[in-house]
Amino acid sequence: MNIRKLNRLDTLIEKQRQAGALQGAKIIVEHKGKRVYENHYEPDREDSIYKIFSMTKPVTAMAAMILYERGDLDLMSKVSDYLPAYESVNVVSAEGIRKAVNPITVKDLLNMTSGIVMPGEFGEAERLMAKIVKEARAQRESGILKSGVDICNKLAEAGVAFEPGEYFRYGYSADILGGIIEVVTGKKLSEFFKKEIFTPLNMEDTGFKIDEGKEFRAAVLYRRDKKGKVVRAEDDVRRRLQMENPSKDPWFERGGAGLYSTAADYAHFAQMLLNKGAYHGKELIGRRTFEFMTSPQLNPQQLSTLDFESCKGCNYGNLFRILTDPASACSNGSVGEFGWEGLGGTYFFVDPEEELIFIYMQQIEGGCDFSFIRGLKQIVYGAC
């Protein structure tokens, strides 16, 4: 790669910082097995630990693929085979409540076509999910719900926003998948992640909490003010994002958003993906399983509701976006590039054709400025 061109990353970062749109950050770029660029921007440290939010989802997808390849998890099986509360779920909409006709499958969870939503105010399903999540947290803290599996079964009370399999809808699908992984393995999600993924990949700083003695490495959390300037986040923001006690076990080990990690650790995960499931001689999954995991999964109707800015020109499958139309994305990247991002603005991609990985870490409530992210990617690909 052209290192002189890669140094334009520093220029773009500094422009963001001078404009007040960014404070700390960390970037890693690797090409053909070599680290060609690495930098961190204060106050973040070289080894800062970030809450990666939805970048947890690819880890959960990998855990599911490990079980899939072993024959322990049938993606066409019903979610209710593992979590009985999903045997009969309601479709909840402005038109009222009715029983779903289609069962939710494991495949639906991996492709976000289950109809399971997140808490919010956009429609009846989101409002009901907000109510059920509040109840679940209270019942977990009081001891009524004793495990992640119990929580997942409780969340079935919120129903779905549409017939399972009908559309794409970003929601708690990966969190419910985490519960299924616990049922299949008989282990807590954190235990399975550590044994099967984090230990083989030397991801020593990754988990559902920050280990004792490492709290000082937690990246500073920011928010954007009304003018778009980043300022330190107050305690209420930390509570809302469930980051008030990062060294304490969470109430729910969420397969969709719960992990903390470092850029270096996540680079190990990305290296394994680039190597089609292997890392330093350790194979997590085989080549054919990897190829399935990173292949587009949505049909045209499902794809019609994939409207994220980061997914322009992309399909989706197994908790990854997959670039299928670079022209629509205005991208100089390759068809087949895949990855995901997180609510705090973390972002990564893996490009098998170019043998390229890119890791970006920040900690700002509200996530990525995708114009800025596109600029970073354009610089990286321009240096190839």
Side-chain angles (χ1 to χ4, degrees), residues 1 37 44 101 124 132 142 146 200 215 235 292 325:
M1 294 188 79
Y37 179 91
D44 288 7
V101 176
E124 297 302 318
I132 298 301
S142 68
K146 301 186 182 303
E215 299 92 341
D235 288 343
F292 165 74
D325 184 357

Side-chain angles (χ1 to χ4, degrees), residues 70-248:
R70 293 173 182 173
D72 292 333
L73 184 62
D74 178 7
L75 305 191
M76 296 181 72
S77 62
K78 297 185 294 184
V79 169
S80 59
D81 292 343
Y82 310 94
L83 301 169
Y86 285 89
E87 180 63 41
S88 178
V89 296
N90 292 322
V91 177
V92 181
S93 69
E95 287 73 45
I97 297 176
R98 62 174 177 82
K99 291 294 181 185
V101 176
N102 300 336
I104 306 171
T105 65
V106 176
K107 178 182 177 182
D108 286 323
L109 299 179
L110 280 159
N111 295 337
M112 291 283 175
T113 56
S114 67
I116 299 170
V117 300
M118 287 182 177
E121 292 297 326
F122 185 70
E124 297 302 318
E126 286 192 358
R127 283 188 280 273
L128 181 54
M129 180 62 85
K131 174 179 178 292
I132 298 301
V133 168
K134 185 176 180 180
E135 290 177 4
R137 184 161 190 174
Q139 290 175 8
R140 176 64 171 141
E141 290 171 353
S142 68
I144 296 172
L145 301 178
K146 301 186 182 303
S147 67
V149 173
D150 290 345
I151 295 169
C152 288
N153 275 306
K154 170 68 177 178
L155 297 184
E157 295 177 19
V160 293
F162 49 76
E163 276 297 329
E166 197 171 19
Y167 300 108
F168 172 94
R169 179 72 178 271
Y170 202 64
Y172 272 174
S173 288
D175 304 280
I176 304 306
L177 181 60
I180 290 176
I181 290 167
E182 292 194 344
V183 171
V184 172
T185 64
K187 295 182 172 68
K188 289 178 62 177
L189 196 58
S190 55
E191 294 169 351
F192 188 75
F193 279 179
K194 183 173 182 179
K195 180 176 186 292
E196 301 289 347
I197 300 175
F198 300 154
T199 297
L201 299 184
N202 297 328
M203 297 173 70
E204 297 179 352
D205 293 320
T206 303
F208 285 104
K209 64 179 181 178
I210 297 177
D211 291 340
E212 186 177 351
K214 297 180 180 179
E215 299 92 341
F216 71 98
R217 291 168 50 195
V220 176
L221 175 66
Y222 296 91
R223 64 170 178 85
R224 295 184 177 94
D225 65 17
K226 293 180 180 179
K227 296 181 179 179
K229 307 288 187 182
V230 296
V231 295
R232 285 202 176 214
E234 300 85 356
D235 288 343
D236 66 316
V237 176
R238 300 184 68 85
R239 282 193 296 273
R240 184 164 65 249
L241 299 180
Q242 297 178 29
M243 295 175 64
E244 64 269 37
N245 295 304
S247 58
K248 181 181 176 183

Side-chain angles (χ1 to χ4, degrees), residues 106 113 159 201 207 255 261 293 314 342 348 373:
V106 176
T113 56
L201 299 184
S261 191
M293 182 173 70
C314 294
F348 89 106
I373 291 293

